[in-house]
Amino acid sequence: MAYFETLGLVKLFGGLAAVNGVSFDVNEGEICGLIGPNGSGKTTIFNLINGYFPLDKGEIYFNGNKISGLKTHKICREGIGRTFQIVKPLKRMTVLDNVLASAFLRSHTKSEAVELAEKTVSFCGMTSLKDKVAGSLPIASRKRLEITRAMATKPKLLLLDETAAGLNPVELEEAIALIKKIRDSGVTIIIVEHIMKVIMTVSDRVVAINHGMVLAEGTPEEVASHAGVIAAYLGEDYCAAG
Amino acid sequence: MKNHLGPLAFLLVLIAFPLAVRDPYYQHLMILVLMWVAIGSGWNLIAGFTGQVSFGDAAFFGTGAYTAGLLAHKLGMSAWWGLGLGGIFAVIIAFPFGWICFRLRGAYFALATLALNEVMRHTATIWESLTEGMVGILIMQTFVSKIPYYYIALAIAVVSLISVQVVMSSRWGYYFVSIREDQDAAESIGIDTHYYKMVSLCLAAYLTGLAGSLYMNYMGFIDPTIVFSLHDISIMAILVGIVGGVGTVYGPAVGAFIMVAVSEVFRTGGFGLLEKLTAATGSPVMVLVTKYIKEAHVLTFGLLVIFVILFLPNGVVGGWRKSRRSH
Ligand SMILES: Nc1ncnc2c1ncn2[C@@H]1O[C@H](COP(=O)(O)OP(=O)(O)O)[C@@H](O)[C@H]1O
Ligand SMILES: [Mg+2]
């Protein structure tokens, strides 16, 4: 059995099947890119993995255990961290307190948690912002805070939902570097991203979805040259550029 | 340590207060202030820090008061046992309530607390074989002097403030505030939000029930309309919580002082000033004004809330902190 595995995930919203029979595997230690046009169901897949929405059908296995059906906080405890596409900072708390709140999960005492929070903040390059109130941060830092907060729960698998959207070229490079650094520290990653540059440079493997179904799966090059994917997702833009 | 100097100095003043001010009337008001510090601290834990606004604190206050009253009335025990058990019985009410109602979010939860308040008041009114209904419960007070009550109330207030301070700087405190700020984010970082909302509610109910049993011992008389009062207890608790500063440890202490003073000004018609004016002028208009002002404290409470929200959104303590930091 794969390290992480989804089997026939289905999620219906009223009559609409936002996710319609999605199965894919992720191997330990890799970065798996999840791509697809807007509204194709990527965020919903994350919400199913992390237990935010109940599944209508399907199963999810992680590290040898069935995690589908568990509550969100239990899934985090099992070792799956996530970021939100629409960021959810704890606005009236400082950056360090945001991270501290999540560092308690893997700490017995407060001083242990503070130590872990400080370490994670510095690992993610947020030390200079740690005393700022989260609500006052610009979008790039909020996105980074999402990652930092998830990292403080010491995840084995990290779900990144468009953490590079809205960043300028310099911030983008920093984000790519951070993602690679996280992978190198031994965390498996599933990343949803619209910016092809990010997906192509960081992913070991890519899963392309459309209308809630898996369209193609393979190396970034294979998926990028898949006819269906080009039609559904990359469209004219890609043809013109290529 | 520097942070504790202010509160410690203030505590010394409070310890000296009844020795310096011998007038029982002012001692009485201070006992009420101290009782409200405990209630306000409880409300602040669940509403101010955890973000689950309660409109039904009287449910816990009344439970604490009736626990003390019934121990004396039915079992012939000392009502002082209520100080130990009143909070526990309030928790026994809070537990199943929270278990069911924390599925509700935001305004729906607030409405559920309002309903709990009303259910408790009606139960206490109707279940005459246990509570004596509207007749109420009268017990013999232990002390004639107000001073012993004052020090017991002071101890309860101090314990409340210290408990909140300790809780809020621990794991629980961080979890409470995370839940307030964003429940979904809190779940996703591994916080069992349902469980920690329960913890916060039970702590709040305990402090409020403790205050209720103090009230029974001190006043010697309770009935359902007094201790389960939506307006005099539940709404007052909200005001104490927000006037002083929502989500600040000492906010409720400041709020308790202000609110007891404000309600006393209204209850007495400006400490009898209006009556004196009425008598002096003999004007029928003044008679009416006096009557309405005395009854208008509900309205004034409302206006006060609006004032605080407009001009001191962080309450007196929060606003003061902020202006101090900017220096
Ligand atoms: N909470 C929800 N309620 C109803 N429909 C939803 C909800 N969340 C997502 N959807 C719908 O599901 C589809 C997939 O959305 P989403 O997973 O956000 O797409 P993506 O992240 O790939 O852009 C969209 O049609 C969206 O409108
Ligand atoms: Mg999305």
Side-chain angles (χ1 to χ4, degrees), chain A residues 50 52 72-73 76 82 84 88 90-93 97 100-102 104-105 107-108 110 149 153, chain B residues 105 168-171 174-175 177-182 184-193:
Chain A
N50 130 287
Y52 182 64
T72 300
H73 63 90
C76 178
R82 79 165 291 182
F84 290 94
K88 294 178 182 290
L90 308 174
K91 287 207 187 90
R92 284 176 284 182
M93 294 163 82
D97 284 351
L100 183 52
S102 81
F104 276 112
L105 182 68
S107 313
H108 295 290
K110 187 176 176 186
R149 200 173 56 191
T153 65
Chain B
R105 285 196 188 186
M168 289 317 298
S169 58
S170 74
R171 174 193 305 258
Y174 282 85
Y175 284 4
V177 177
S178 301
I179 291 168
R180 176 189 77 191
E181 292 297 294
D182 195 308
D184 298 328
E187 273 282 327
S188 81
I189 55 173
I191 299 172
D192 185 344
T193 55

Side-chain angles (χ1 to χ4, degrees), chain A:
Chain A
M1 185 183 279
Y3 185 58
F4 175 83
E5 190 171 349
T6 74
L7 286 174
L9 304 187
V10 174
K11 180 68 197 174
L12 306 169
F13 289 116
L16 174 89
V19 175
N20 195 1
V22 166
S23 307
F24 65 94
D25 297 349
V26 179
N27 303 313
E28 186 165 8
E30 76 176 0
I31 296 184
C32 172
L34 194 60
I35 64 170
N38 260 329
S40 58
K42 304 179 299 291
T43 297
T44 306
I45 291 173
F46 276 9
N47 284 334
L48 293 173
I49 294 173
N50 130 287
Y52 182 64
F53 292 146
L55 277 163
D56 288 314
K57 247 191 221 144
E59 282 168 356
I60 304 170
Y61 291 88
F62 174 59
N63 214 359
N65 301 317
K66 183 176 165 190
I67 59 156
S68 39
L70 294 182
K71 291 221 174 93
T72 300
H73 63 90
K74 287 256 172 61
I75 289 172
C76 178
R77 195 169 282 270
E78 289 290 314
I80 300 185
R82 79 165 291 182
T83 68
F84 290 94
Q85 178 179 356
I86 297 165
V87 293
K88 294 178 182 290
L90 308 174
K91 287 207 187 90
R92 284 176 284 182
M93 294 163 82
T94 63
V95 165
L96 185 64
D97 284 351
N98 265 262
V99 182
L100 183 52
S102 81
F104 276 112
L105 182 68
R106 307 287 183 206
S107 313
H108 295 290
T109 64
K110 187 176 176 186
S111 57
E112 243 179 271
V114 171
E115 196 178 318
L116 174 59
E118 295 269 8
K119 228 171 67 189
T120 313
V121 162
S122 120
F123 180 86
C124 296
M126 293 202 79
T127 306
S128 63
L129 298 173
K130 72 176 184 184
D131 295 323
K132 286 241 155 53
V133 175
S136 72
L137 297 177
I139 186 67
S141 309
R142 287 186 188 210
K143 295 253 173 185
R144 191 166 277 249
L145 175 58
E146 285 282 319
I147 300 177
T148 314
R149 200 173 56 191
M151 283 302 289
T153 65
K154 291 194 181 169
K156 297 193 208 95
L157 172 68
L158 182 61
L159 313 177
L160 299 175
D161 197 351
E162 303 208 14
T163 45
L167 304 190
N168 67 35
V170 178
E171 292 162 349
L172 200 60
E173 288 304 325
E174 288 170 358
I176 291 173
L178 176 59
I179 291 165
K180 286 181 169 165
K181 192 168 143 191
I182 291 171
R183 191 258 322 265
D184 293 342
S185 76
V187 178
T188 307
I189 296 173
I190 305 178
I191 178 170
V192 165
E193 203 55 70
H194 263 302
I195 305 166
M196 284 322 269
K197 181 181 173 203
V198 178
I199 286 287
M200 291 304 165
T201 43
V202 304
S203 305
D204 299 301
R205 233 157 37 80
V206 173
V207 176
I209 59 164
N210 195 20
H211 302 303
M213 288 180 283
V214 174
L215 200 61
E217 213 181 322
T219 64
E221 294 73 27
E222 281 165 10
V223 172
S225 58
H226 186 279
V229 174
I230 296 173
Y233 180 63
L234 303 169
E236 269 116 63
D237 259 26
Y238 183 82
C239 294

Side-chain angles (χ1 to χ4, degrees), chain B:
Chain B
M1 194 58 222
K2 208 174 149 206
N3 282 341
H4 297 306
L5 271 172
L8 262 174
F10 202 68
L11 179 60
L12 287 178
V13 172
L14 286 175
I15 289 171
F17 174 84
L19 308 173
V21 181
R22 314 291 307 192
D23 187 336
Y25 173 66
Y26 290 105
Q27 291 178 350
H28 165 73
L29 288 185
M30 278 309 290
I31 293 170
L32 292 185
V33 168
L34 294 169
M35 181 187 86
W36 278 104
V37 172
I39 302 170
S41 296
W43 185 87
N44 196 32
L45 263 184
I46 184 68
F49 286 116
T50 319
Q52 314 298 309
V53 177
S54 161
F55 277 84
D57 264 24
F60 309 129
F61 182 82
T63 302
Y66 269 95
T67 303
L70 293 177
L71 284 176
H73 187 73
K74 291 282 177 195
L75 302 178
M77 294 163 70
S78 161
W80 290 110
W81 287 105
L83 285 191
L85 293 173
I88 291 171
F89 274 90
V91 170
I92 290 173
I93 297 294
F95 195 88
F97 171 79
W99 193 260
I100 296 163
C101 292
F102 274 135
R103 276 155 238 270
L104 305 170
R105 285 196 188 186
Y108 296 99
F109 174 76
L111 284 176
T113 60
L114 192 65
L116 177 69
N117 190 151
E118 292 308 281
V119 166
M120 292 301 291
R121 189 165 56 78
H122 284 293
T123 307
T125 309
I126 294 162
W127 195 353
E128 290 180 347
S129 61
L130 179 72
T131 65
E132 308 295 339
M134 285 305 292
V135 174
I137 291 174
L138 184 68
I139 61 165
M140 281 290 291
Q141 283 148 295
T142 318
F143 309 108
V144 179
S145 160
K146 300 221 178 283
I147 293 178
Y149 294 107
Y150 177 90
Y151 284 114
I152 293 164
L154 180 60
I156 289 174
V158 169
V159 165
S160 304
L161 289 174
I162 292 176
S163 310
V164 172
Q165 173 90 59
V166 167
V167 164
M168 289 317 298
S169 58
S170 74
R171 174 193 305 258
W172 286 3
Y174 282 85
Y175 284 4
F176 293 169
V177 177
S178 301
I179 291 168
R180 176 189 77 191
E181 292 297 294
D182 195 308
Q183 194 176 322
D184 298 328
E187 273 282 327
S188 81
I189 55 173
I191 299 172
D192 185 344
T193 55
H194 191 263
Y195 176 84
Y196 285 99
K197 283 194 247 178
M198 291 291 295
V199 171
S200 177
L201 179 70
C202 289
L203 289 172
Y206 185 85
L207 292 179
T208 313
L210 185 61
S213 56
L214 170 72
Y215 184 89
M216 173 81 257
N217 277 287
Y218 173 51
M219 300 301 278
F221 176 74
I222 58 171
D223 75 23
T225 60
I226 298 172
V227 294
F228 289 113
S229 165
L230 181 61
H231 151 237
D232 288 331
I233 307 295
S234 294
I235 305 291
M236 178 85 168
I238 298 173
L239 284 161
V240 167
I242 69 174
V243 166
V246 176
T248 56
V249 174
Y250 293 106
V254 177
F257 193 85
I258 294 173
M259 286 317 300
V260 168
V262 168
S263 43
E264 192 60 13
V265 167
F266 277 90
R267 195 184 65 77
T268 57
F271 296 109
L273 196 69
L274 282 174
E275 262 120 0
K276 280 190 194 125
L277 273 177
T278 312
T281 56
S283 138
V285 179
M286 278 311 293
V287 177
L288 265 183
V289 168
T290 308
K291 175 169 173 286
Y292 281 124
I293 292 230
K294 278 188 168 182
E295 283 168 8
H297 68 292
V298 187
L299 177 68
T300 320
F301 278 19
L303 291 176
L304 199 64
V305 175
I306 293 169
F307 172 83
V308 168
I309 290 170
L310 281 180
F311 297 107
L312 285 170
N314 298 308
V316 176
V317 171
W320 174 71
R321 279 255 176 80
K322 212 169 232 166
S323 57
R324 203 176 48 155
R325 195 170 290 167
S326 62
H327 285 315

